[in-house]
Amino acid sequence: MEFNPVLKGLEKVYTKIIKEQRLNREDGLELLQTTNILGLGHLADERKRAMTGDQVFYNNNAHINYSNVCKVRCGLCAFAKDSGEKGSYTMSIDEVVNKAGQFAEQGVTELHIVGGIHPDLPFSYYLDMIRKIKERAPQVSLKAFTAAEYDFFAQIENVPVIEILKTLKDAGLSFITGGGAENFSPRVREIICPGKLSGQRWLEIHRLAHRLGIPSNANVLYGIIETDEELIDHLLALRDLQDETMGFKALIPTAFHPKNTKFEDLPQASAIRTLKVIAVSRLILDNFRYIKAYWVSSSPQVAQMALSFGANDLDGVVREEKIYHTAGATSPQMQSELQLISMIHELGLEAVERDTYYNVIKTVRPQ
């Protein structure tokens, strides 16, 4: 029986990593297309350990989706409804604030707040929402809105987006979500979300936020119609902006869920595709310290496996998630803190509760 070394077929990339040379587009494609899954995982795991050792992060967070009314209606989305359509809803500011207050009383340290591109709400709705949540729960970080929402706010107010960002920051905004990035390829966007802002505009809005001292996350969507080249180009665009601003905290690779979307005939991304995307992201994004295994999108089981493929963050407790579940996600709505810790400890790793900025709140080591 011939013995295959674990890095067979990955020698060229391994040599570059050993020499601390930056990986390029060709390297990224080679890694994404390898069948040596364990070798890829080994390289990504070693890179992760060099950055954060045995630590795996999570936070005590909650999601609030203030409305599902959206005039853009991207083909990839199962969440959005037209105004007045059956199942559509828009929460009042008091309802949002009360929900935020209830979450704060449960010990939540971060609120993730996103909705659609609502055709009727004034900018004052969003501004008052942030201000009043901050008054009700001053200790909670507000990670709110996607670049698409900020772009829309600037349109309805007829001001530069940087003014919107400044106004919301003054009101209590802490952080910007990574949503809306999908894939930056114009070809992909024209098919899956033609009414949404361009990839370049997404990058521009995050660049402006970083300049104002507002950190953000970044998403990459996979398992829809993207080519391997388009996926790698997306990661390289994020790496370039991170070189410039160092304003990104984490990458969140998210699997496309086809149910109830215009792409319902597509198969769901495989576990192997998920592990490959996470591992390749870890190796290409040498300037991102944190890569999430988002259990809502991939399932808790695959997310746990991803902790050996370069991921070092399980997102958090979440509590209530609507966007992926309307697209057929079968993951639970919530993972308790004990469940997250157990997932981490089963791999012999340290569970680290963090705040929004990755400051350590507590560390729970495996017994």
Side-chain angles (χ1 to χ4, degrees):
M1 181 175 173
E2 185 183 345
F3 175 71
N4 285 341
V6 72
L7 296 175
K8 187 172 184 181
L10 300 172
E11 295 88 353
K12 181 179 151 214
V13 171
Y14 178 62
T15 300
K16 289 184 81 167
I17 290 171
I18 291 296
K19 293 181 177 178
E20 297 187 354
Q21 296 173 354
R22 194 166 230 192
L23 302 187
N24 59 25
R25 186 176 193 255
E26 182 186 345
D27 301 321
L29 288 171
E30 185 178 313
L31 291 169
L32 199 56
Q33 292 165 2
T34 186
T35 54
N36 185 355
I37 305 303
L38 293 180
L40 174 62
H42 174 73
L43 290 176
D45 192 52
E46 288 295 302
R47 173 65 63 82
K48 176 199 76 171
R49 287 175 184 277
M51 286 190 163
T52 56
D54 283 344
Q55 294 178 309
V56 176
F57 299 85
Y58 70 92
N59 71 342
N60 193 340
N61 64 341
H63 287 209
I64 297 178
N65 300 115
Y66 58 85
S67 177
N68 64 351
V69 174
C70 183
K71 68 176 188 175
V72 178
R73 302 304 301 271
C74 299
L76 68 103
C77 180
F79 176 68
K81 302 280 187 187
D82 290 327
S83 192
E85 184 182 347
K86 184 181 178 182
S88 66
Y89 75 91
T90 300
M91 297 167 70
S92 69
I93 291 173
D94 284 346
E95 286 173 327
V96 175
V97 172
N98 287 336
K99 187 180 270 283
Q102 290 165 10
F103 285 142
E105 288 161 11
Q106 295 170 24
V108 161
T109 61
E110 173 188 294
L111 288 172
H112 177 103
I113 304 167
V114 295
I117 305 301
H118 200 296
D120 305 317
L121 293 174
F123 177 61
S124 58
Y125 170 89
Y126 308 96
L127 182 58
D128 289 347
M129 180 200 300
I130 295 297
R131 188 178 287 130
K132 289 180 178 179
I133 293 174
K134 204 64 186 172
E135 288 170 2
R136 174 77 174 268
Q139 77 280 18
V140 175
S141 295
L142 303 186
K143 185 170 78 175
F145 313 129
T146 65
E149 288 167 282
Y150 289 106
D151 189 49
F152 181 61
F153 301 160
Q155 290 173 35
I156 58 178
E157 286 294 279
N158 196 27
V159 297
V161 74
I162 195 165
E163 297 303 321
I164 297 292
L165 291 164
K166 285 178 180 174
T167 300
L168 286 168
K169 183 184 180 186
D170 289 345
L173 176 76
S174 309
F175 204 95
I176 289 182
T177 74
E182 323 306 2
N183 186 286
F184 296 142
S185 159
R187 181 194 76 86
V188 171
R189 296 182 92 78
E190 184 58 36
I191 295 169
I192 69 171
C193 53
K196 193 178 274 187
L197 80 174
S198 69
Q200 286 305 308
R201 179 65 169 160
W202 188 99
L203 290 162
E204 179 188 345
I205 289 169
H206 282 257
R207 177 183 287 110
L208 291 170
H210 297 170
R211 285 182 186 164
L212 291 174
I214 306 170
S216 68
N217 287 333
N219 283 46
V220 57
L221 181 71
Y222 63 92
I224 188 164
I225 60 159
E226 82 286 350
T227 64
D228 289 345
E229 289 81 2
E230 286 164 334
L231 195 145
I232 297 299
D233 287 345
H234 181 97
L235 296 178
L236 291 172
L238 292 174
R239 188 172 79 177
D240 287 346
L241 182 54
Q242 182 76 327
D243 278 344
E244 183 186 328
T245 67
M246 290 307 292
F248 289 119
K249 286 292 182 183
L251 177 79
I252 311 167
T254 47
F256 176 62
H257 281 252
K259 191 175 178 183
N260 300 323
T261 75
K262 290 182 182 175
F263 301 95
E264 201 154 18
D265 57 331
L266 289 178
Q268 201 159 320
S270 68
I272 290 295
R273 183 68 171 178
T274 293
L275 296 176
K276 277 187 167 185
V277 168
I278 286 172
V280 171
S281 298
R282 169 58 71 196
L283 293 165
I284 289 289
L285 297 179
D286 49 38
N287 50 11
F288 275 66
R289 193 168 174 83
Y290 308 102
I291 292 182
K292 292 192 183 189
Y294 187 42
W295 58 263
V296 171
S297 120
S298 67
S299 83
Q301 293 82 0
V302 176
Q304 185 186 36
M305 291 167 62
L307 299 179
S308 296
F309 281 75
N312 59 352
D313 188 313
L314 276 177
D315 195 76
V317 175
V318 174
R319 284 180 168 77
E320 182 181 296
E321 197 284 336
K322 294 180 180 177
I323 294 172
Y324 266 92
H325 285 87
T326 52
T330 56
S331 56
Q333 285 278 353
M334 170 177 171
Q335 292 283 287
S336 71
E337 182 179 16
L338 286 177
Q339 285 172 311
L340 293 173
I341 291 170
S342 176
M343 288 166 67
I344 296 164
H345 283 182
E346 200 172 355
L347 292 160
L349 301 172
E350 295 179 1
V352 181
E353 184 186 352
R354 61 169 177 83
D355 67 8
T356 303
Y357 308 99
Y358 286 85
N359 299 308
V360 173
I361 295 173
K362 71 169 183 272
T363 299
V364 186
R365 293 181 174 84
Q367 297 299 314

